[in-house]
Amino acid sequence: MRRPRSEARSGSAGRAGQDSGAVDHAAHGAGASWGTAVRATLHCLTGCALGEILGMVIGTALSWGNTPTMILAIALAFLFGYSFTLYAVIRTGVSVKAAIRVALAADTVSIAVMELVDNAIIALTPGAMDAQLSDGLFWAALLGGFAVAFVITTPLNKWMIGRGKGHAVVHAYH
């Protein structure tokens, strides 16, 4: 496995008790910047939005019920969200197995919160679950859910990155 850049620069093999893929997050300081949190959240939101929109479009176009459509949309949101990170990390020379671990550690909480918020907005918007692709309400609820999810997830990502968790795991491979 390729060592994260912070280790490669310092020559450190990690602290005692940590695996060689561990990153010294002391360099990140006590907290993360809002800019870093916004970029991390936008990265996550892009993958989630593509997957979720595709799932909603497929389920709606095939006249599926609400539950199977939401399950497909959520599954595709996770798939696309993880795929964006996997692609970026694998490009640095990391093995697929190691990249999967990085993606799971980096994105799971962010995607889960984003999906929970977004789908709650859609489910709670009157008429949105029965709207068709041609209805403005379908798109307003979906895009509005993404906006609310972004606002809620950004501070969470800031907090996690500041503690060396979530998207901070990926930053070592940039």
Side-chain angles (χ1 to χ4, degrees):
M1 178 172 94
R2 181 173 173 248
R3 289 188 310 179
R5 289 189 180 160
S6 62
E7 286 182 17
R9 280 191 293 258
S10 68
S12 166
R15 294 185 198 127
Q18 292 181 336
D19 66 32
S20 62
V23 179
D24 181 7
H25 293 287
H28 291 291
S33 72
W34 281 106
T36 298
V38 165
R39 283 187 300 278
T41 307
L42 285 173
H43 169 88
C44 186
L45 179 63
T46 302
C48 288
L50 287 173
E52 178 122 1
I53 289 169
L54 182 60
M56 291 290 190
V57 167
I58 291 169
T60 302
L62 296 176
S63 299
W64 287 2
N66 293 337
T67 301
T69 298
M70 286 187 101
I71 290 170
L72 177 64
I74 292 167
L76 290 176
F78 272 91
L79 178 69
F80 277 73
Y82 287 139
S83 295
F84 276 34
T85 299
L86 280 171
Y87 175 75
V89 174
I90 288 171
R91 283 187 45 205
T92 68
V94 174
S95 72
V96 172
K97 183 178 177 181
I100 289 170
R101 280 185 277 170
V102 169
L104 290 172
D107 294 337
T108 300
V109 172
S110 183
I111 295 171
V113 170
M114 208 166 283
E115 286 302 298
L116 177 69
V117 172
D118 178 51
N119 283 286
I121 297 293
I122 293 168
L124 295 173
T125 300
M129 294 298 292
D130 297 320
Q132 297 299 310
L133 294 174
S134 59
D135 296 334
L137 179 60
F138 173 89
W139 296 102
L142 188 60
L143 299 176
F146 291 146
V148 173
F150 175 81
V151 168
I152 291 174
T153 308
T154 300
L156 172 66
N157 282 334
K158 182 182 185 306
W159 180 81
M160 289 189 334
I161 292 167
R163 282 148 188 80
K165 307 289 183 197
H167 289 272
V169 176
V170 174
H171 291 182
Y173 296 94
H174 288 222

